[in-house]
Amino acid sequence: MSALDWHPWQPVPPLPRPRLLTPAVLAEWIDGGQAFRWQARPDRSLEGGWLHHHVRLRLHPSDSTLEFSAPATTDLTATADALHTYLAGPPADEDLLPWRSDPSLAVALAAYPGLRILRQPFGETLLGFVCSATKQIPQIKQMLALVASRHGSHAAPESEWRALPTWAELASVSEEELRACSLGFRARHVAGIARFLAANPGWLTATEHAPYPEAKARLIELPGVGEKVADCVLLFGAARLEAFPVDTWIIKAMARRYGLDGWRPEQIAHFGRTHFGAHAGLAQQYLFAHERALARAARL
DNA sequence: GCACAGGTAGATT
DNA sequence: AATCTACCTGTG
C-alpha cells in the first residue's frame, strides 16, 4: 500500500440540521476564512485538516451529500468522529436570527444557505487569528503552511500532513524563525503568547471553558489579541455563538446594510449582539460571506 | 511606486 | 475617550 493511497469516499456522519449543500457553500464554510488550512483540489474536493487530522471533503457527485476521505493509513472511525465534532460546530440555528424582520440578513442567508460555524481546536484557532491581522486569507494560509512545515510534527511517520505546532512546541521556536515564515510583526505576538502560556500552565484550557465575557477578557490580555481576534477565537474555536467579530468586512456590511456609517468597531459589535441575539456569530458569518461575494462580483 | 490587507498597541490629542 | 501611527510582507 502506497502512502499516497486514500480510503474510498465515506459519508460524513450526519450533522445537525442537515441540508443539501452547494459547492460554493461548502467552500465558504470550510475555506472561507474560518479555518486557514484547506485547499481546493481540481476535482472540486477540499483537502486539509486540523491537529493531526488530514482529510478530504466533497459533495457526492449525484446526490450532493457530504463525503470525506483520509489517507489509507489512518483510522477511519476515529477520523469520522473528530470530523463530526469539527463540522457540527456549535448548535447554531438560523431560525433564532431575526431574518423575518431583517431583509439584509435574509439576503445574506439566502446567498449561502446552510453555512455553518466550525468547531476548531482552541489553540490552533488562536494561532491562526493572531496571524490574520491585516493579511488576506491566501497569505494567512501561506504563513501557517510554512509554520506547520517547519515547526509542526508529522501526523504519522509516513504522513505528508504536518500539524501546526502546539503552543508548547512554539515556545521553543524563536521570533526570528517565525519571521522567517513571513509572519512579520505577528512573529513577536506569537512568540510572546507562547512564552506566556509556557509560564502559565492550564491558562489556555481555563480560558476556553470560561464564560464568554471572562474568556474574551482573558484572551485580550495576550499580545496581538484585541477584540476582533478574541471574538474569532471564541466563535470558531470555542463554539461561542454570542461572539460577533467586527473586521473591515463587517464594518462595511453594517455601514451599507444597517446605516451604521462612522460607527466605531465596538459600537458595531454592541449593535450586532443586541440586534442579532444569542446566535449573533452565525449572522456575522453570513454577512461576512455575502459582503465578500459582492466585492468579488464587483471586481469582475 | 504605493496603497491596502478578516488588527493591535502605544502615543497623542 | 476618540484619533493617529507604526508594525512586516505580499499583492494589485
Side-chain angles (χ1 to χ4, degrees), chain A residues 237-273:
Chain A
R240 300 306 163 77
L241 288 168
E242 61 266 60
F244 189 82
V246 176
D247 56 41
T248 55
W249 291 102
I250 290 301
I251 291 171
K252 274 182 218 165
M254 299 305 276
R256 288 177 59 181
R257 314 294 163 202
Y258 297 85
L260 309 189
D261 301 86
W263 286 40
R264 304 207 330 285
E266 195 178 5
Q267 299 176 296
I268 295 174
H270 181 257
F271 176 94
R273 284 192 295 272

Side-chain angles (χ1 to χ4, degrees), chain A residues 16-169:
Chain A
R17 295 177 59 74
R19 286 174 185 270
L20 286 190
L21 297 170
T22 63
V25 173
L26 177 64
E28 185 65 30
W29 174 27
I30 303 299
D31 192 28
Q34 296 191 48
F36 302 109
R37 300 218 62 206
W38 294 89
Q39 204 76 45
R41 289 166 49 77
D43 63 358
R44 298 224 282 182
S45 68
L46 290 163
E47 180 168 346
W50 66 100
L51 302 180
H52 60 284
H53 298 291
H54 182 199
V55 305
R56 290 177 183 165
L57 290 170
R58 75 164 186 181
L59 299 177
H60 188 283
S62 53
D63 66 13
S64 283
T65 56
L66 192 59
E67 297 185 311
F68 81 102
S69 178
T73 50
T74 57
D75 171 5
L76 270 185
T77 308
T79 303
D81 226 44
L83 180 62
H84 184 267
T85 299
Y86 184 86
L87 294 179
D93 188 347
E94 286 86 351
D95 285 335
L96 293 182
L97 295 176
W99 56 267
R100 291 178 184 81
S101 57
D102 180 343
S104 298
L105 179 60
V107 167
L109 289 174
Y112 287 97
L115 184 62
R116 299 159 183 277
I117 303 295
L118 295 171
R119 175 49 160 109
Q120 301 177 67
F122 193 62
E124 277 193 10
T125 314
L126 175 60
L127 176 60
F129 281 93
V130 166
C131 292
S132 76
T134 61
K135 278 292 177 193
Q136 299 185 118
I137 291 169
Q139 292 174 245
I140 302 165
K141 289 163 69 169
Q142 180 55 34
M143 288 188 273
L144 293 172
L146 274 172
V147 171
S149 70
R150 294 184 187 177
H151 305 293
S153 55
H154 283 101
E158 71 280 7
S159 170
E160 298 177 335
W161 178 257
R162 295 272 191 137
L164 286 168
T166 64
W167 284 105
E169 288 168 334

